[in-house]
Amino acid sequence: MKKIGAVVLLLSLIIVSCEEKEKKKYLPESIGAINSLAVVMENELWEGKVGDRVRQHFAAPVLGLSWEEPLFTINQMPQKVFSGTILQTRSVLFIDKDTLSLAHIKTDVYATPQKVGVIKGRTDEEIISNLDAKADEIVKAFKEVEIQESQKRFLKSLSKETVLNDKLGITLSLPSIYKVGKQENNFIWIDRQIQKGSMNIIAYDIPNDYFKNDSTFVKDIVAMRDSIGKQYIPGPDVPGKITYMMTEKAFAPYVFPVEVANRKAAEVRGIWEINGYPMAGPFLTYIINDDKNNRKVVIEGFVFAPATEKRDDMFQLEAILKTVKFSDDK
């Protein structure tokens, strides 16, 4: 009898395990435009101070763009509307007034890949407090799943170009639509044409000791970019003027410590402009330590597209830059 009981228990565990695997296996694929966010909360909350705080966190301006564009394009709806295919939205923020007070992030609840931020509280003030405490973490989770989705879309058709590996010993997962425009010394410029301009990626390396003083780090970054722009990235022909890309003089760029390709790096976001000509746009730069080769590798994406929104173009460039790998890594 004991043996029979053990067999029955084992079979039960196998069946339960299989059922759990089946549930995970058959989650539908998530849907939605890149950087779209479903905010599920009652209209009364959305129209009051809770909704104001949601917009403050999740529709905050993206850093380093030419004009203000929100982090996410928000589609708010009450709970009764959150059904059907809307459940498959990739990034979801669920806010509710409840007897519970909590703030957490769930993964792959209704679809995969999916992130669901859940904020609950007994009062408006408690909801706002929980939201403030968890918002940065939720934004990071949403951004990561959106980056993954962006990469998934362009990984379907990749360039076979090897110039980055040949010149700098790095690789990027580049969509095949990107073409090499310039390669000179250790500088490489790759771009693609878009409806009203171009999306661009540049890469080069600098000596490991280029930045000698932490107190002048931002100033030295600007000097580095301006030197590269003057040497390799000319602007339009203007009689009597030398035009080239430089860092906007009016505002210092934003600089953050990050990790890229398992290496310490600096992330730089700001606005480029053309010396001697009224033209400007956003840029994103990663300065990556490569101590093994006694150097730093610089990869940058920038967009030229006058009078157009640039958030999603810059987001795709970020997704591409974050695929960087070093060829001598095992």
Side-chain angles (χ1 to χ4, degrees):
M1 291 296 292
K2 288 183 178 180
K3 288 184 178 180
I4 294 173
V7 171
V8 170
L9 177 60
L10 180 60
L11 288 173
S12 299
L13 290 173
I14 292 171
I15 291 169
V16 170
S17 176
C18 289
E19 287 177 351
E20 288 177 351
K21 288 180 180 179
E22 289 298 305
K23 286 179 183 177
K24 291 180 180 179
K25 183 178 179 181
Y26 289 111
L27 276 176
E29 189 171 341
S30 56
I31 61 173
I34 298 294
N35 292 322
S36 61
L37 171 62
V39 174
V40 184
M41 59 189 295
E42 298 308 313
N43 294 336
E44 182 181 353
L45 286 175
W46 176 250
E47 293 162 4
K49 55 188 176 182
V50 175
D52 289 341
R53 193 59 62 92
V54 169
R55 290 184 285 274
Q56 180 181 321
H57 287 296
F58 296 91
V62 177
L63 294 179
L65 294 186
S66 309
W67 63 65
E68 287 193 2
E69 296 181 55
L71 280 173
F72 301 101
T73 300
I74 293 176
N75 178 26
Q76 179 268 332
M77 67 200 74
Q79 291 184 40
K80 63 183 179 182
V81 177
F82 186 57
S83 61
T85 57
I86 302 176
L87 293 170
Q88 296 168 230
T89 304
R90 196 167 41 259
S91 297
V92 179
L93 179 64
F94 183 89
I95 294 181
D96 191 26
K97 188 175 288 187
D98 201 322
T99 54
L100 297 174
S101 175
L102 57 84
H104 58 211
I105 302 169
K106 294 184 176 182
T107 299
D108 297 351
V109 180
Y110 308 105
T112 184
Q114 184 184 59
K115 292 293 180 181
V116 180
V118 181
I119 305 291
K120 292 185 179 183
R122 289 159 291 208
T123 64
D124 288 2
E125 289 71 22
E126 195 167 64
I127 293 173
I128 289 171
S129 176
N130 289 338
L131 180 61
D132 289 344
K134 202 72 173 177
D136 288 349
E137 187 180 340
I138 295 174
V139 167
K140 183 181 178 182
F142 288 164
K143 184 172 178 180
E144 286 175 354
V145 78
E146 295 300 317
I147 286 282
Q148 291 167 11
E149 177 63 21
S150 181
Q151 291 172 342
K152 176 183 173 183
R153 294 182 184 187
F154 65 66
L155 286 172
K156 295 174 182 177
S157 176
L158 291 178
S159 170
K160 296 179 181 179
E161 181 58 63
T162 63
V163 64
L164 288 169
N165 190 34
D166 298 341
K167 293 277 189 181
L168 294 173
I170 63 172
T171 61
L172 286 174
S173 296
L174 278 168
S176 57
I177 196 170
Y178 284 81
K179 307 298 179 185
V180 177
K182 178 184 286 188
Q183 48 178 310
E184 187 177 339
N185 301 323
N186 69 335
F187 176 87
I188 299 148
W189 185 353
I190 300 168
D191 67 342
R192 63 166 289 192
Q193 298 305 303
I194 54 178
Q195 188 172 5
K196 294 186 177 181
S198 62
M199 294 168 62
N200 306 265
I201 293 172
I202 59 174
Y204 52 96
D205 60 10
I206 56 176
N208 208 27
D209 62 352
Y210 184 93
F211 303 104
K212 294 183 173 64
N213 193 327
D214 289 346
S215 64
T216 61
F217 187 53
V218 176
K219 182 180 177 181
D220 292 341
I221 289 173
V222 171
M224 175 194 73
R225 292 194 70 261
D226 294 353
S227 173
I228 290 293
K230 188 172 185 178
Q231 186 171 357
Y232 296 111
I233 310 176
D237 290 331
V238 178
K241 291 187 177 181
I242 299 174
T243 64
Y244 60 89
M245 177 184 282
M246 60 185 296
T247 311
E248 186 185 57
K249 295 188 288 289
F251 301 99
Y254 302 94
V255 181
F256 309 95
V258 294
E259 189 173 283
V260 178
N262 298 316
R263 288 166 163 79
K264 290 182 179 180
E267 178 181 287
V268 188
R269 294 179 182 269
I271 303 295
W272 59 265
E273 62 181 3
I274 297 296
N275 180 67
Y277 193 82
M279 185 184 291
F283 72 84
L284 167 64
T285 306
Y286 290 108
I287 304 168
I288 309 168
N289 290 345
D290 184 18
D291 296 332
K292 186 186 297 185
N293 296 299
N294 195 33
R295 63 173 184 164
K296 298 182 189 299
V297 172
V298 183
I299 52 176
E300 176 173 310
F302 65 91
V303 172
F304 167 64
T308 64
E309 295 182 337
K310 301 174 182 66
R311 179 194 69 183
D312 291 343
D313 289 338
M314 287 301 299
F315 195 79
Q316 184 185 93
L317 287 173
E318 179 180 350
I320 293 171
L321 296 181
K322 285 183 172 178
T323 66
V324 66
K325 291 182 175 62
F326 284 74
S327 304
D328 57 3
D329 281 349
K330 292 184 179 179

